[in-house]
Amino acid sequence: MEAVVARIRLVLVLCVAAAAAAALMASPGAAAGEGAAAAATAQELRRGFSVTHDQSYSQFQPVLADPTGAFALGFLRVKATMLDLAVLHLPSAFPLWRAIPDRPAPWSAPASLSFDGGLVLTDRAASKVLWSAAAASPGDRAVLLNTSNLQIQSTSAGVVWQSFDHPSDTIVQGQNLTTAAALYTLDRRFAMRLGSNYFALYIEPPSPGGVAAAAMYLKHTALQAKAQIVAGGGPTYARVEPDGFLAMYQKEGPPADVLSFDTFNRGVRALRRMTLEPDGNLRAYYWDGARWAADYTSITEACELPTTCGAYSVCAQPRGGCECLLGNATDGSGCAAAAAPGSLCGTPGGEVGGLYRAVRRRGVEPANKELLGFERAASAADCEARCERKCSCWGAVYSNGTGYCYLLDYPAQLLVEGDERKLGYFKVRSLEEEAAGRGGGGGAGGVKAALLAVGVAAVVGAAAFGAYRAWDRRRRAAADARRQLGAVDDGLSPGP
Ligand SMILES: *[C@@H]1O[C@H](CO)[C@@H](O)[C@H](O)[C@H]1NC(C)=O
Ligand SMILES: *[C@@H]1O[C@H](CO)[C@@H](O)[C@H](O)[C@H]1NC(C)=O
Ligand SMILES: *[C@@H]1O[C@H](CO)[C@@H](O)[C@H](O)[C@H]1NC(C)=O
Ligand SMILES: *[C@@H]1O[C@H](CO)[C@@H](O)[C@H](O)[C@H]1NC(C)=O
């Protein structure tokens, strides 16, 4: 791994050096027929530009460089055999932006990147557009700014498209994350989205538009320390700031919220980034010249991380041991796969039942119950019945102590051990069920198996414990930050 990184760095350094020496400016048509090395690392792409992916680059083929030489846009090799277009931080070879992270092309695809008012990545063999940056109006040039922002600019209309508006898993310092965008892990299992006055992390449903909803596993609400968030006052946005914090704004000026990192206000001036990582954790780093130094981790306890246990499992504190709802221990790969598409009802809007197995379990509760709504129910049976009747309900947890009934609109996950008064009811659709149905053979069993077999099963992992405690911890940390920022405790609401 070290060696690979070192090799990438060497290649990049050579490329950048060559480009700097040549001070290349791509002009219309010039790049198309030339060797990739000569076409590499232009500082500006003009209309008519086109460059072909050259497989002789082992990891990264730079196409467009920023003025400082710290970043480059180019063809990136991912997962050994796949190809994506990326903006790389060259010293670390870390991709700050990816064009098609969830559907990269084969490395061997004869891909080309061209600029003709918009940027287009094409697979020439298949005559297929793999990705395009469709600008509102055509641009005259594409440039990479010294912030790593890839922009398409027009002489008359200014910036018509920028990569900062289309993040993949990372935002860098100075980049606005708006309600119109979201951060996704590269496999799109997890997402970070902004709400009106908060940001939250979600386990994405196995199939978009399916019957399961996204499960929220972390919510950070704006503290409104220095600026109120006004209802109807426009959408919020978040930004990593040079002083070492994530700020939430409704407009420029004092932030409505400050989520401080470890180096908050310590005078560390370095490139910062915040990334939603494959394990579902949101982390911040700064580049210390040799490595990305960790500066903030949103979830620090095993049971709070959605990848610690799989779906249909219960997480035990504090070690994060996982136990399947159906009985057996698991290694974190999940206990049963949630069959994604289709409905929990036999026919759309029709009868419930038959397509899942009901599993009851005492002593479990949703780790994210503070983030779920609840209804009051007279009894566990009453709570269960409300879920059973609903095609979109995947489970219900009744608290015999409070009479609260929590309904889950996603397959059972984010469950932790609770006291004996908590009674869980879960609808389980699993590969085992499917196999059993198929094993039964023929008739209704066959139909059932066929229905279950439709589509891809996805194991969505999840369990978190003490989300509230974590939230409270962060709330207090942020309150400290607020004090450091100079906002005295003047009775401003800490938010819900
Ligand atoms: C980046 O560019 C802006 C203007 O385009 C300039 O003010 C700033 O100093 C540059 N930053 C670096 C690190 O070069
Ligand atoms: C971020 O948003 C603010 C307010 O809308 C805007 O002034 C600024 O230009 C944006 N920055 C970038 C890099 O888009
Ligand atoms: C649990 O594990 C045992 C032994 O490994 C196995 O025989 C049994 O089928 C498993 N049960 C379930 C529900 O997976
Ligand atoms: C719920 O609580 C009541 C009163 O404490 C008790 O009688 C009942 O057995 C409990 N039900 C369950 C299912 O634990």
Side-chain angles (χ1 to χ4, degrees), residues 326-329 335 357 432:
L326 299 170
N328 276 8
C335 300
R357 171 148 54 123
E432 286 158 38

Side-chain angles (χ1 to χ4, degrees), residues 209-235:
V211 286
M216 188 192 283
Y217 61 95
L218 179 138
K219 184 177 186 182
H220 176 87
T221 301
L223 289 167
Q224 312 192 344
K226 294 202 127 190
Q228 292 288 103
I229 288 194
V230 186

Side-chain angles (χ1 to χ4, degrees), residues 206-207 337-342 429 431 434 438 449-458:
S207 72
R429 295 177 71 186
L431 295 177
E434 184 194 328
R438 204 185 285 128
L451 278 169
L452 284 170
V454 173
V456 188

Side-chain angles (χ1 to χ4, degrees), residues 278-370:
D279 64 357
N281 218 336
L282 181 69
R283 295 189 177 87
Y285 300 85
Y286 65 93
W287 177 249
D288 72 1
R291 68 190 179 102
W292 287 106
D295 207 16
Y296 167 78
T297 302
S298 66
I299 296 172
T300 52
E301 283 173 42
C303 274
E304 295 178 14
L305 255 193
T307 42
T308 299
C309 295
Y312 297 116
S313 69
V314 183
C315 191
Q317 282 278 88
R319 206 172 43 82
C322 310
E323 198 188 320
C324 285
L325 272 181
L326 299 170
N328 276 8
T330 166
D331 56 5
S333 61
C335 300
S343 163
L344 284 168
C345 301
T347 53
E351 283 299 298
V352 180
L355 293 175
Y356 61 86
R357 171 148 54 123
V359 172
R360 289 176 184 80
R361 172 90 175 241
R362 185 183 280 268
V364 295
E365 62 179 332
N368 55 343
K369 69 172 190 237
E370 305 289 338

